[in-house]
Amino acid sequence: MPVSRPAAPRELSYLRILAQGLVPATSAPDVVEAVRRQLAVQGQQPSAVPHALILRADGATGSAVDAAFAAGRLVRSWPMRGTVHITTAADHHWLRAALKHRSEAWTRRAAEHLGVDDAAVERAADTALALIDREGPVARSRLIEAWQEAGLLDAAEGPDSFTNGSGRRRYLLVRLQREGVLVQGPRRGNEHLITDARPLPTAETGPGGTGGGAKGAPGHRAALAEIARRYATSHGPVSAADLARWTTLPLAQATRALEDAVEITHAADYPVDPAAARVPLVRARSEGGLRGRARLLDGEAAAPGRDVLYLRADLPALLEEHSRAVGRTLFLPSFDELHVGYKDRLCLTDAAGELLICPARNGMFRPLLVDRGRLVAVRPVGQGLLWADEARRSARLEAAVERAVRRVERRLRR
């Protein structure tokens, strides 16, 4: 029996679920490809990373995620924003280089505040690389110990210290990863070990070419366009404001990057391959806000603006074909891109739901349950289910939520 088109208030949420690879029709063949399509996946909470990745890869398990990090195909670092992300090894350096200028003000201010000069940073890099050369990938506590032994940190400043020395410790860890010296790789328990980032593919192998796509280099605009292309392909429908928040780019640059991405994907030489999520991008407008419908602007004059959305051209057709799968119950981890990957999440939940996901408003998010495109519950560790005010609880919904949780937990254990 044909399945009817989803109700209008959920359409944009359904389109995002499709773009995110959260249904079989758009999932990736493995976890590395899932990350490549997203370009960068929120990695703030290490225990949530396997959960996020297996949902986007056909049949993937927790052990497959560990294997990808162990093989050096996936890495964890600060390639953009002040937040940890997961990227493929191939994308790490060029993405970091393209957006590094957005963190330079923080680098200067923090160095002045903490009294860390360039000579200290160089000594920290040399100490870290020598340690890794001797011992292989190391835990954060071991690296801090080596920095203490080198006189870069006071001996009393342990890993859990919140003194000014702790600020220096974090500054060195973050800066050396933003500079491309260190990166986090293989998983040990709930920690990613720190290793040498220099053997990874260089920034010059990315879309920016010579110069690595850094600001001021000839390929900077091309690098930003690729960032926009991958973001819109894996998250759309998105606005320029969404991309600006995701990357910290100014709104005007985010808009230009998205417009460049649309033009690139409509060029005659663009290698279209829907199976690999290489598809043209199109512009749309939302009729009825983010809880309305997306109306494609087919050939229609559309000056870039706040109300213009960008998405994969094939999403509406995929939604028609796979609406039942898109509306199924999803158990998502803390910090999942379906929630944190956007500036405006109204199509997923309302203000009360946002408070349920992040009650202290301090950036610590709870795992969430989504049914038919809307938040229905959260599942804090050790607390069981907490239902959203707008959830229409029923025997069907409660059973679907339980099945979704069990399904994910089984895959994570394998």
Side-chain angles (χ1 to χ4, degrees):
M1 170 181 270
V3 179
S4 61
R5 187 178 179 86
R10 301 175 190 263
E11 181 175 290
L12 291 180
S13 187
Y14 283 146
L15 292 171
R16 286 180 172 180
I17 288 169
L18 272 168
Q20 290 271 349
L22 292 168
V23 297
T26 53
S27 65
D30 57 62
V31 294
V32 177
E33 175 63 9
V35 174
R36 188 200 66 78
R37 293 181 185 186
Q38 296 251 328
L39 182 57
V41 176
Q42 170 74 250
Q44 183 94 345
Q45 185 176 322
S47 61
V49 170
H51 187 166
L53 300 191
I54 66 169
L55 290 178
R56 292 166 168 85
D58 187 27
T61 62
S63 60
V65 177
D66 285 340
F69 280 107
R73 301 182 69 198
L74 295 179
V75 295
R76 180 176 185 261
S77 185
W78 280 270
M80 64 179 192
R81 298 205 320 259
T83 305
V84 185
H85 283 82
I86 309 301
T87 66
T88 67
D91 287 325
H92 170 73
H93 277 311
W94 77 259
L95 176 61
R96 176 191 60 76
L99 295 175
K100 182 173 174 287
H101 66 287
R102 299 300 300 162
S103 63
E104 287 175 350
W106 172 86
T107 299
R108 289 193 303 270
R109 288 195 303 269
E112 292 172 3
H113 175 71
L114 297 169
V116 179
D117 58 19
D118 288 344
V121 174
E122 289 181 13
R123 286 178 57 209
D126 291 342
T127 300
L129 294 174
L131 175 68
I132 293 166
D133 187 53
R134 292 194 306 271
E135 301 182 10
V138 296
R140 179 177 299 194
S141 59
R142 178 70 185 97
L143 178 56
I144 291 168
E145 181 182 82
W147 282 341
Q148 289 170 340
E149 292 169 354
L152 291 161
L153 299 172
D154 292 341
E157 295 161 0
D160 299 319
S161 170
F162 289 93
T163 64
N164 196 48
S166 177
R168 288 195 296 271
R169 169 178 59 80
R170 184 180 186 279
Y171 176 81
L172 292 174
L173 285 166
V174 174
R175 179 162 175 185
L176 290 179
Q177 291 181 62
R178 285 182 170 167
E179 296 284 348
V181 177
L182 302 178
V183 73
Q184 298 170 58
R187 285 166 50 91
R188 180 192 293 167
N190 199 31
E191 179 182 10
H192 288 266
L193 303 182
I194 298 170
T195 190
D196 187 348
R198 296 173 302 172
L200 299 180
T202 66
E204 286 72 17
T205 63
T210 302
K215 183 181 180 182
H220 184 57
R221 184 167 176 174
L224 296 187
E226 177 63 6
I227 292 170
R229 185 191 72 81
R230 278 221 240 148
Y231 175 69
T233 300
S234 63
H235 288 69
V238 293
S239 66
D242 289 320
L243 177 61
R245 179 189 176 278
W246 198 68
T247 57
T248 73
L249 288 170
L251 184 60
Q253 285 189 24
T255 302
R256 187 180 72 176
L258 283 163
E259 287 294 313
D260 286 347
V262 171
E263 297 308 312
I264 287 169
T265 62
H266 284 268
D269 60 349
Y270 181 71
V272 175
D273 182 3
R278 293 192 65 89
V279 293
L281 294 174
V282 293
R283 304 174 186 87
R285 278 199 172 90
S286 175
E287 296 180 337
L290 280 180
R291 295 192 66 178
R293 289 189 185 278
R295 179 173 62 84
L296 299 188
L297 303 174
D298 296 324
E300 182 180 324
R306 294 177 183 271
D307 62 338
V308 174
L309 301 175
Y310 302 82
L311 68 155
R312 288 174 53 161
D314 59 348
L315 284 190
L318 286 170
L319 181 54
E320 290 280 4
E321 186 178 354
H322 301 283
S323 58
R324 186 183 298 278
V326 175
R328 70 176 182 147
T329 307
L330 299 170
F331 176 37
L332 304 170
S334 306
F335 302 98
D336 193 82
E337 286 288 324
L338 185 65
H339 176 245
V340 301
Y342 307 89
K343 178 181 175 67
D344 194 330
R345 285 95 68 139
L346 185 60
C347 64
L348 181 68
T349 190
D350 56 15
E354 291 287 353
L355 192 59
L356 188 65
I357 294 170
C358 186
R361 302 183 187 276
N362 62 352
M364 296 307 297
F365 297 90
R366 292 164 160 173
L368 54 152
L369 277 300
V370 172
D371 182 75
R372 296 178 181 175
R374 295 289 290 176
L375 175 78
V376 293
V378 297
R379 192 172 182 269
V381 176
Q383 295 186 45
L385 289 171
L386 302 177
W387 293 90
D389 292 342
E390 69 171 277
R392 296 181 180 178
R393 292 182 62 181
S394 64
R396 178 209 69 84
L397 179 59
E398 292 179 2
V401 164
E402 181 61 28
R403 285 195 301 271
V405 171
R406 287 201 307 266
R407 187 164 53 241
V408 168
E409 289 179 339
R410 284 196 300 269
R411 291 175 65 183
L412 287 171
R413 286 194 296 267
R414 288 164 50 199

